Amino acid sequence: MAELDADLDRILPSPVLPPFWAKLVVGLVAIVCFARSYDGDFVFDDSEAIVNNKDLQAETPLSDLWHHDFWGSRLSSNTSHKSYRPLTVLTFRINYYLSGGFYPVGFHVVNILLHGGISVLMVDVFSVLFGGLQYTSKGRRVHLAPRASLLAALLFAVHPVHTECVAGVVGRADLLCALFFLLSFLGYCKAFRESTKEGTHSSTFWVLLSIFLGAVAMLCKEQGITVLGLNAVFDILVIGKFNVLEIVQKVLHKDKSLENLGMLRNGGLLFRMTLLTSGGAGMLYVRWRIMGTGPPAFTEVDNPASFADSVLVRAINYNYYYSLNAWLLLCPWWLCFDWSMGCIPLIKSVSDWRVIALAALWFCLIGLICQALCSEDGHKRRILTLGLGFLVIPFLPASNLFFRVGFVVAERVLYLPSVGYCVLLTFGFTALSKHTKKKKLIAAVVLGIVLINMLRCVVRSGQWRSEEQLFRSALSVCPLNAKVHYNIGKNLADKGNQTAAIRYYREAVRLNPKYVHAMNNLGNILKERNELQEAEELLSLAVQIQPDFAAAWMNLGIVQNSLKRFEAAEQSYRTAIKHRRKYPDCYYNLGRLYADLNRHVDALNAWRNATVLKPEHSLAWNNMIILLDNTGNLAQAEAVGREALGLIPNDHSLMFSLANVLGKSQKYKESEALFLKAIKANPNAASYHGNLAVLYHRWGHLDLAKKHYEISLQLDPTASGTKENYGLLRRKLEQMQKKDV
């Protein structure tokens, strides 16, 4: 199909290895680069897509995967991101099953092995891109560019921009998409085995298989459908050997030889294009039907350029984003887990110096396109065309050209486009080597790039091992990114360092005055520190900015309750429930408000709602038992306690509450058993020992009562009630001793 590109291998300063050894080297290098991340935590988006995703658990029917998005929400929901990747979620579910839970090692190992496998597959892909298609008499493809394919595959394997996909577990969507994308491309290549005599049926089979693999890639991540466009470009420009420049010239000169293009039907090109077009249209139609309610709704902070009023401003910023993506491929040193929220300020005028970047990008692209179309060297045209095809076509879904995307720059979307970059870089080294006598210097530069990239991969993989390292690494890259400060603050708050967390939350709000999640979290911490006035101001501002922010409404209600503004608190709780109907924590807090107001029936109803929505809501169950106990409804309290323990059998706080009720009902033996079970589960709870002592005191087991009073006072010497009861017991024991004397 394509002539042997002999020059390419002769001038490239890299060793010739048999295909097996080349693949082995590439696979090992790829694994070594990212092996450091194997024992990392679940970080950033992993929490939502994996840890909090019920679709991974056995209780969720497998069929739900086909109706939910990547994050476990129903696709029909207006809040869904519409990211439909059921096959990726299925692999997470298998990981969860094999690991016996949410243990990240197994998840990370699969990602690392996937990248290694893809890098091995790249040797074959690059062999086609550089050497073309030529088969032996037995139908085996000949590797015509062993040096070029090895070097390009190594450059791909060690590219640091891949770290997010490999070290972040959710990056598996990109890895699986890339795997089936490449298999689809290689399958399409098999439709052109010249020496086989199986005819059209064989060719059609491979085209259909390629379309099927493209559909599988799309079910791993939406980007996968672009393989059909790449296959079409490959077929038209490489297999069909269309010379675009020649055809344009003939059209301009009204050359009659164009009428002979009908002969292409005999080669099956139109038939294959029809299959690819039909397959792509079918995939898009099914995807649209599944998505249901239209495209996802993103906010201005996700992609500010797409909300700009001026078409010119949007166009300039989109092109600037393209130049940033190109720079990440060229110089992957400044990497960040998130590039939104002020990380990249908008270009609002053509006088902004950053316009130079997009001018440089288009200068380079136009130069490459001209070379790809106008070069008299057919091999050069093929390599540049396919390199640009791999660079541009898989990137199109992230380009904002067809629909708004939910990010500014995302390293993960560059996994497949980096294939095209590696083609162009390898070809560039080849051209440079061809025109210079200092081939050892070129070899040293190539080796240096590979080693530096490997080192960068190892360092970056280490940063992805924990959220603290990941978030802090972003400060030097995007100091103006409010989300970076928010995430550092959240990480510090989770570790109990509230003072430092407040500082980062305040900075996040300063950088983005409409950052409602930062306001909510900061308000929460201030509430816990009893700085109620500022907490109320922050939370009130958050719900003004986003009126349907249910969590902020609930937290505002808690603050207002603490300020004794009960009517306002009730209204805030009701508003939160209005915006999130299934909100057990809000019902629980509403019940506490009603209990403070002595509206006992309303409190019980609110807590009952909480337990209906969340049967394992221990606090709601406990409050019901305690309220019924305090109001003298012992039989009802006992019934609720038994119901709660039936649902949460190992909750020691429920055992304790029910034991108190049973003790008051003079069911001493059963009460004692529950107290002892609660103490075994939580031996350092002073109140457990103190109340068991009271039970023994009533029951007449005075020695046991004395023992547990003393244990309780050792654990909490300040407990006045226990001290008083212990004093009564001691006086009683002294009186009994005097009588005996």
Side-chain angles (χ1 to χ4, degrees):
M1 284 292 170
E3 297 179 11
L4 175 62
D5 194 354
D7 288 340
L8 194 64
D9 283 334
R10 282 205 301 270
I11 62 177
L12 196 66
S14 60
V16 176
L17 289 177
F20 172 79
W21 289 105
K23 292 176 181 178
L24 184 63
V25 169
V26 170
L28 288 174
V29 168
I31 290 171
V32 166
C33 282
F34 300 100
R36 193 179 177 192
S37 66
Y38 89 96
D39 61 345
D41 300 330
F42 290 122
V43 296
F44 195 39
D45 286 340
D46 295 347
S47 299
E48 285 302 311
I50 296 169
V51 179
N52 298 329
N53 192 343
K54 292 184 179 179
D55 286 344
L56 271 65
Q57 299 172 21
E59 305 83 58
T60 304
L62 272 173
S63 58
D64 281 9
L65 269 63
W66 301 95
H67 303 288
H68 291 177
D69 65 16
F70 188 55
W71 313 95
S73 303
R74 291 197 70 83
L75 276 166
S76 56
S77 169
N78 290 329
T79 59
S80 170
H81 276 211
K82 312 299 183 185
S83 45
Y84 187 59
R85 304 162 193 174
L87 295 185
T88 302
V89 178
L90 180 61
T91 67
F92 291 154
R93 183 167 173 142
I94 293 170
N95 252 135
Y96 175 83
Y97 173 77
L98 294 177
S99 302
F102 292 112
Y103 301 104
V105 171
F107 289 83
H108 283 295
V109 168
V110 170
N111 274 28
I112 295 168
L113 293 177
L114 272 172
H115 176 65
I118 291 165
S119 299
V120 167
L121 200 60
M122 289 309 309
V123 177
D124 287 330
V125 172
F126 286 126
S127 177
V128 172
L129 300 182
F130 287 111
L133 291 176
Q134 184 169 314
Y135 292 92
T136 65
S137 58
K138 295 182 179 179
R140 290 188 177 182
R141 187 175 55 79
V142 181
H143 288 263
L144 299 176
R147 289 190 182 94
S149 59
L150 172 60
L151 175 58
L154 281 173
L155 290 170
F156 176 86
V158 303
H159 205 298
V161 84
H162 298 159
T163 312
E164 180 177 356
C165 293
V166 183
V169 179
V170 295
R172 188 178 301 176
D174 298 270
L175 296 173
L176 289 171
C177 173
L179 175 65
F180 290 105
F181 185 104
L182 299 175
L183 289 173
S184 174
F185 175 74
L186 290 173
Y188 198 80
C189 291
K190 284 185 176 291
F192 308 104
R193 290 184 293 184
E194 283 184 329
S195 56
T196 61
K197 298 180 180 180
E198 298 172 25
T200 307
H201 296 296
S202 172
S203 173
T204 303
F205 167 78
W206 287 109
V207 173
L208 291 174
L209 179 62
S210 174
I211 294 171
F212 171 76
L213 290 170
V216 173
M218 190 179 73
L219 291 175
C220 295
K221 190 175 180 181
E222 298 77 1
Q223 193 178 17
I225 194 174
T226 59
V227 71
L228 302 184
L230 186 72
N231 288 343
V233 169
F234 177 79
D235 198 343
I236 294 169
L237 299 181
V238 177
I239 304 302
K241 296 182 180 179
F242 269 47
N243 187 325
V244 177
L245 181 63
E246 183 182 337
I247 292 172
V248 170
Q249 289 174 342
K250 288 183 177 181
V251 169
L252 292 175
H253 293 90
K254 299 181 180 180
D255 194 323
K256 292 184 178 180
S257 63
L258 280 172
E259 297 173 3
N260 296 326
L261 288 176
M263 67 181 183
L264 292 171
R265 295 190 186 93
N266 298 330
L269 176 61
L270 291 181
F271 177 68
R272 292 191 297 273
M273 292 302 104
T274 301
L275 288 178
L276 289 175
T277 304
S278 301
M283 289 184 209
L284 290 174
Y285 175 73
V286 172
R287 177 72 175 80
W288 176 75
R289 288 298 301 267
I290 290 171
M291 193 163 64
T293 57
F298 296 114
T299 61
E300 187 173 353
V301 295
D302 297 318
N303 186 355
S306 66
F307 286 85
D309 295 329
S310 169
V311 175
L312 178 62
V313 170
R314 288 203 298 271
I316 289 174
N317 282 278
Y318 288 159
N319 280 274
Y320 180 61
Y321 297 162
Y322 305 156
S323 68
L324 287 176
N325 281 284
W327 182 248
L328 287 176
L329 290 173
L330 284 167
C331 184
W333 207 253
W334 292 275
L335 300 175
C336 184
F337 72 94
D338 188 277
W339 294 82
S340 64
M341 287 202 180
C343 189
I344 306 170
L346 279 180
I347 297 175
K348 297 181 179 179
S349 168
V350 291
S351 61
D352 193 309
W353 67 269
R354 290 175 292 170
V355 172
I356 297 171
L358 61 99
L361 171 70
W362 280 105
F363 177 80
C364 293
L365 278 179
I366 291 170
L368 287 169
I369 292 169
C370 289
Q371 287 293 310
L373 297 179
C374 304
S375 175
E376 295 180 0
D377 185 342
H379 303 303
K380 184 177 182 179
R381 286 203 309 272
R382 183 190 73 239
I383 293 169
L384 289 178
T385 300
L386 292 177
L388 288 169
F390 261 100
L391 182 70
V392 173
I393 294 174
F395 183 75
L396 289 175
S399 66
N400 287 288
L401 289 176
F402 305 109
F403 46 81
R404 177 184 291 158
V405 298
F407 52 85
V408 176
V409 172
E411 293 157 25
R412 59 187 176 273
V413 303
L414 295 176
Y415 193 83
L416 273 170
S418 67
V419 177
Y421 162 76
C422 294
V423 170
L424 297 175
L425 186 63
T426 302
F427 185 78
F429 281 128
T430 303
L432 190 62
S433 178
K434 191 173 184 178
H435 293 92
T436 181
K437 294 179 180 180
K438 298 180 180 180
K439 291 182 172 51
K440 289 185 178 179
L441 178 61
I442 302 299
V445 170
V446 171
L447 181 62
I449 289 174
V450 171
L451 292 177
I452 290 171
N453 278 0
M454 286 184 69
L455 178 62
R456 179 64 176 133
C457 285
V458 172
V459 172
R460 186 62 178 160
S461 293
Q463 292 172 342
W464 271 87
R465 293 177 71 234
S466 72
E467 286 195 332
E468 182 178 4
Q469 294 180 77
L470 178 65
F471 297 155
R472 290 192 179 278
S473 71
L475 279 178
S476 59
V477 181
C478 285
L480 300 179
N481 188 335
K483 189 181 283 190
V484 170
H485 294 274
Y486 167 82
N487 280 299
I488 294 174
K490 188 173 183 297
N491 187 257
L492 289 166
D494 291 342
K495 292 180 177 180
N497 190 349
Q498 291 187 337
T499 303
I502 287 173
R503 187 168 69 253
Y504 282 100
Y505 280 141
R506 288 194 191 282
E507 181 64 10
V509 174
R510 186 189 72 79
L511 290 169
N512 182 2
K514 294 184 179 181
Y515 201 169
V516 292
H517 293 283
M519 293 175 189
N520 179 55
N521 287 15
L522 178 56
N524 259 338
I525 293 179
L526 294 174
K527 174 192 69 182
E528 291 170 12
R529 294 162 71 98
N530 209 36
E531 298 178 33
L532 300 177
Q533 202 64 44
E534 187 181 359
E536 184 181 24
E537 291 173 6
L538 276 167
L539 293 166
S540 296
L541 180 58
V543 296
Q544 284 176 26
I545 295 169
Q546 187 177 326
D548 62 347
F549 192 1
W553 278 113
M554 182 188 76
N555 290 324
L556 178 59
I558 295 171
V559 171
Q560 290 166 335
N561 193 11
S562 300
L563 291 168
K564 309 298 182 185
R565 296 176 53 208
F566 300 121
E567 288 186 15
E570 182 181 6
Q571 184 60 40
S572 294
Y573 288 141
R574 290 291 181 191
T575 306
I577 293 167
K578 172 187 170 185
H579 292 299
R580 189 191 298 178
R581 293 176 61 192
K582 296 180 179 180
Y583 204 173
D585 288 340
C586 195
Y587 276 111
Y588 165 73
N589 284 299
L590 180 61
R592 289 184 59 187
L593 168 66
Y594 288 145
D596 291 342
L597 296 173
N598 292 320
R599 293 167 58 179
H600 296 157
V601 174
D602 290 334
L604 289 170
N605 287 334
W607 288 329
R608 175 58 74 176
N609 283 333
T611 59
V612 168
L613 293 170
K614 186 179 178 182
E616 67 276 14
H617 204 303
S618 174
L619 289 173
W621 285 114
N622 247 319
N623 281 22
M624 277 196 282
I625 297 166
I626 293 167
L627 179 59
L628 290 167
D629 180 3
N630 291 341
T631 54
N633 297 304
L634 296 181
Q636 196 175 349
E638 181 182 340
V640 170
R642 292 186 188 281
E643 182 184 356
L645 272 179
L647 293 166
I648 322 171
N650 298 317
D651 191 299
H652 55 80
S653 63
L654 289 175
M655 298 173 195
F656 172 70
S657 298
L658 180 56
N660 284 326
V661 173
L662 293 171
K664 291 180 182 179
S665 301
Q666 298 185 353
K667 297 180 180 180
Y668 297 132
K669 196 70 180 173
E670 194 176 358
S671 176
E672 177 195 28
L674 278 174
F675 272 129
L676 292 174
K677 196 173 177 182
I679 288 170
K680 185 178 180 181
N682 189 16
N684 295 322
S687 60
Y688 290 12
H689 291 280
N691 284 31
L692 177 58
V694 171
L695 176 74
Y696 284 137
H697 199 158
R698 289 178 183 164
W699 199 358
H701 297 322
L702 303 185
D703 290 335
L704 287 172
K706 181 174 181 293
K707 171 188 170 183
H708 283 280
Y709 277 137
E710 289 171 351
I711 294 173
S712 179
L713 288 170
Q714 284 176 1
L715 293 169
D716 182 11
T718 62
S720 57
T722 305
K723 279 183 181 179
E724 185 178 340
N725 288 333
Y726 183 50
L728 291 172
L729 177 64
R730 288 183 62 181
R731 286 194 291 274
K732 187 172 183 178
L733 288 172
E734 288 170 1
Q735 290 172 3
M736 290 174 65
Q737 286 177 351
K738 287 178 181 178
K739 285 182 181 179
D740 291 342
V741 172

